[in-house]
Amino acid sequence: MVDVDFDDIINTLSETIKTYDFFVDWEKIENNVNKVEKRLNILNYLIGKENFKEEFISLLKEYPEVITTFPILIAVRTHSLTVLNNKTMDLETLEFRERKKLSNEDIEKYYKFFKETGLENLLKDRKIKNLVDYVFGVEVGMDTNARKNRIGKLMENIVKKYIEDDLCSKYDNIEYIFQATKDKILNKWNINLILDKTDRNFDFAIFNKNKGMLYLIEVNFYSGGGSKLKATAGEYQTLNEFITDRNDKNIKFIWITDGKGWETAKNPLKESFNKGVIILNLEMVKNGLLEKIITE
């Protein structure tokens, strides 16, 4: 087994793995806007209308389907919204699912929604010129909430490229599964894993057919500190012990993790390392340590 020094892990942590396409998922945003573009263009009719309430009521009677766009106008993704009436202190619920017809009472509720949320003034005073462009901007802002998930995907994609380029394309005897489950591993390599959870899903499983060795791999990246790091280190320490104790010796667990967040949580990481967890960061993978572990 290749020797790994814990200090090398800490001293070569990456500051970021963000690429230029990390910040905004333009394709997803464009698709989201395209889904509501026609209905937003119908609502554009209300921009600048002085007799806003009358025009609003008339529009909803003719085009009740536009109510499905209302949540995104206030940067919310939901089919229903419950709010507190600050005058009566009662809860009020609005549904934004597709309707073929709206009652006068329903339309009054939707008008109140427009008025109370400030959308009436936004359109009436021409503070925006086009709702399609406006929603495009809203989607860009909301997309930033997905960045945390994208970090995980980026880490997976980076490691996946190393596996494909440094292992599978160079060695005929090495195969891998992305998002590997117990059933996938059994079906592909006839290896019956004993796991701590029936639904356990590994980011990667790599099999060296010549050695008969199976490597189960988890990957993650932490740019900031927090209790999550300690919990993750503890979880993988326990997982490694379970895999080692309950399975064949030809099955190993590898944890590829990175990010400056670990500088704030060195102790739990070192504890996992000292308990036998094979830990690598991206610099080590880049320098061929993962390849050596899998092939030597």
Side-chain angles (χ1 to χ4, degrees):
M1 183 62 68
V2 176
D3 288 332
V4 176
D5 185 86
F6 181 77
D7 289 338
D8 288 343
I9 299 173
I10 295 298
N11 293 335
T12 58
L13 291 171
S14 301
E15 182 176 346
T16 185
I17 56 172
K18 296 173 185 174
T19 53
Y20 285 112
D21 58 359
F22 162 81
F23 298 97
V24 181
D25 188 340
W26 296 108
E27 183 178 357
K28 184 186 79 174
I29 289 168
E30 188 172 353
N31 287 337
N32 287 346
V33 174
N34 286 341
K35 292 175 185 176
V36 294
E37 182 176 5
K38 290 182 180 179
R39 295 179 181 186
L40 292 174
N41 277 321
I42 293 172
L43 283 176
N44 276 337
Y45 171 78
L46 294 173
I47 295 176
K49 290 292 187 287
E50 290 296 329
N51 53 338
F52 188 91
K53 183 175 182 179
E54 293 176 19
E55 297 287 1
F56 181 89
I57 292 172
S58 176
L59 190 72
L60 262 63
K61 285 183 177 179
E62 188 172 358
Y63 303 102
E65 66 271 19
V66 297
I67 64 172
T68 61
T69 69
F70 288 3
I72 194 62
L73 298 180
I74 56 169
V76 173
R77 296 196 198 282
T78 185
H79 293 299
S80 66
L81 189 67
T82 300
V83 296
L84 179 68
N85 186 317
N86 57 9
K87 294 181 180 178
T88 65
M89 301 308 290
D90 294 327
L91 293 178
E92 299 176 348
T93 299
L94 276 174
E95 293 288 338
F96 300 103
R97 291 176 175 82
E98 184 110 12
R99 303 271 295 278
K100 292 184 178 179
K101 187 177 181 181
L102 299 173
S103 67
N104 291 335
E105 183 181 357
D106 288 333
I107 293 175
E108 281 292 335
K109 290 180 180 178
Y110 290 119
Y111 172 71
K112 180 180 180 181
F113 167 82
F114 248 70
K115 184 178 180 63
E116 296 295 328
T117 58
L119 288 171
E120 178 180 11
N121 288 339
L122 186 71
L123 272 62
K124 182 178 179 180
D125 298 342
R126 297 182 183 272
K127 293 178 180 177
I128 59 171
K129 296 181 180 179
N130 186 294
L131 280 169
V132 177
D133 294 340
Y134 166 80
V135 168
F136 202 98
V138 170
E139 286 285 352
V140 170
M142 293 181 69
D143 186 63
T144 61
N145 295 327
R147 288 179 181 172
K148 184 179 293 187
N149 292 333
R150 283 205 290 272
I151 279 287
K153 293 296 182 183
L154 274 176
M155 189 68 175
E156 288 176 355
N157 290 337
I158 290 170
V159 173
K160 186 178 180 182
K161 189 175 189 310
Y162 279 119
I163 291 173
E164 292 176 347
D165 294 351
D166 294 351
L167 292 169
C168 295
S169 65
K170 292 169 63 175
Y171 302 93
D172 293 336
N173 59 302
I174 293 178
E175 298 175 340
Y176 86 99
I177 298 173
F178 180 55
Q179 298 301 325
T181 62
K182 178 179 178 177
D183 289 342
K184 287 180 182 179
I185 291 170
L186 180 62
N187 292 335
K188 188 174 180 66
W189 299 311
N190 197 31
I191 298 173
N192 190 16
L193 278 176
I194 301 173
L195 296 175
D196 57 336
K197 299 178 182 178
T198 57
D199 61 346
R200 171 70 70 176
N201 185 23
F202 294 93
D203 293 322
F204 301 95
I206 301 177
F207 185 57
N208 185 325
K209 292 185 286 185
N210 288 354
K211 294 167 59 179
M213 290 288 297
L214 175 67
Y215 301 91
L216 306 170
I217 301 175
E218 286 285 294
V219 306
N220 42 49
F221 187 94
Y222 296 103
S223 56
S227 58
K228 173 72 173 176
L229 284 77
K230 182 177 180 180
T232 302
E235 177 190 354
Y236 289 162
Q237 179 182 321
T238 302
L239 176 60
N240 181 66
E241 291 171 353
F242 188 94
I243 291 171
T244 302
D245 293 342
R246 302 291 296 275
N247 289 275
D248 187 89
K249 64 180 181 179
N250 287 339
I251 299 175
K252 301 292 183 184
F253 175 66
I254 300 173
W255 180 18
I256 302 175
T257 191
D258 214 320
K260 293 290 187 179
W262 284 115
E263 292 181 345
T264 69
K266 295 178 185 178
N267 289 340
L269 187 66
K270 188 170 185 177
E271 182 178 345
S272 293
F273 179 85
N274 290 338
K275 290 290 185 178
V277 181
I278 302 170
I279 303 176
L280 303 175
N281 62 27
L282 288 177
E283 183 69 17
M284 293 171 167
V285 174
K286 177 182 175 182
N287 290 335
L289 279 182
L290 179 63
E291 180 181 358
K292 288 181 180 180
I293 291 171
I294 302 297
T295 60
E296 291 184 0

